[in-house]
Amino acid sequence: MKKKFKRLAVAFTGISNSGKTTLIIKVAQQLQNNGYKVCIVKHDPKNKAVFDTIGKDSYKFSQIGIDVIVVSPDKTTYFKKETSTIDDIIALFNDFDFLLVEGLKTLPLPRICVCRNKLDKNYFEISDTLAVDDTIPRNMISEGMNILDLNNTNEIIAWIEQNGKKV
């Protein structure tokens, strides 16, 4: 019998160096340890990510402007010469339990705003809940905002399971 996947998606947002990546890694590791298949999408708005080394074959292939897939014993890497929609990405991942998205503020996904050391209220209107630690005074948070403990992975996963969007 084929496994039925949850296919729940949630996004994480927040200012640079707020702890988004660290939180996503902790959540993903715990979900994986619990037997779930997890996929991650990271937004690179400034096009800074480097995926290959200059001079290597895959780099040479991608430089001529075509899409390239590199298959090795431990991974498959896909170099595509145009942006992808979230639906394109979901189709590539296919079967998964949890899709964790870092950034992509315009996606219509339930969103956790990660706040550490600083609050940026501009994120409040696009976020469904805040994940904060002790560096954020609670009296600075607008009344009515849902608050999670940034250091309590179980609490954050419970929120994701309850609020994640079925995709």
Side-chain angles (χ1 to χ4, degrees):
M1 183 171 139
K2 187 176 178 186
K3 178 184 177 189
K4 180 143 174 78
F5 291 92
K6 290 182 178 242
R7 297 181 59 93
L8 293 176
V10 67
F12 296 79
T13 197
I15 64 172
S16 184
N17 294 315
S18 60
K20 296 179 300 290
T21 300
T22 300
L23 178 59
I24 290 169
I25 289 169
K26 287 179 182 178
V27 167
Q29 285 176 328
Q30 186 165 331
L31 288 168
Q32 278 187 307
N33 290 343
N34 292 340
Y36 293 113
K37 182 174 181 187
V38 180
C39 298
I40 296 173
V41 174
K42 164 120 176 84
H43 188 211
D44 178 25
K46 295 180 182 168
N47 217 20
K48 297 188 307 185
V50 178
F51 295 99
D52 205 1
T53 305
I54 293 174
K56 293 293 186 181
D57 291 346
S58 56
Y59 178 83
K60 292 175 187 175
F61 292 146
S62 70
Q63 288 307 108
I64 63 173
I66 60 173
D67 296 345
V68 179
I69 295 177
V70 179
V71 180
S72 61
D74 295 334
K75 65 184 172 203
T76 299
T77 307
Y78 181 28
F79 299 92
K80 184 178 173 187
K81 288 298 188 173
E82 61 187 31
T83 193
S84 297
T85 67
I86 193 65
D87 292 330
D88 295 337
I89 294 166
I90 289 170
L92 283 173
F93 286 141
N94 194 20
D95 292 331
F96 59 88
D97 291 300
F98 295 93
L99 175 63
L100 309 178
V101 177
E102 182 176 337
L104 292 165
K105 292 182 265 192
T106 59
L107 283 182
L109 291 175
R111 189 168 298 274
I112 297 172
C113 180
V114 179
C115 301
R116 185 175 46 92
N117 297 321
K118 183 178 178 186
L119 270 184
D120 185 340
K121 294 186 178 186
N122 292 321
Y123 287 97
F124 287 13
E125 62 189 47
I126 62 167
S127 301
D128 299 289
T129 194
L130 302 177
V132 301
D133 65 7
D134 292 338
T135 64
I136 303 296
R138 297 300 193 263
N139 63 350
M140 293 190 66
I141 299 171
S142 303
E143 226 176 281
M145 284 295 293
N146 188 39
I147 301 170
L148 301 173
D149 180 349
L150 179 58
N151 297 309
N152 186 336
T153 310
N154 290 327
E155 182 179 60
I156 292 168
I157 289 173
W159 188 91
I160 293 169
E161 287 180 324
Q162 183 175 0
N163 297 282
K165 181 179 180 181
K166 188 93 166 149
V167 294

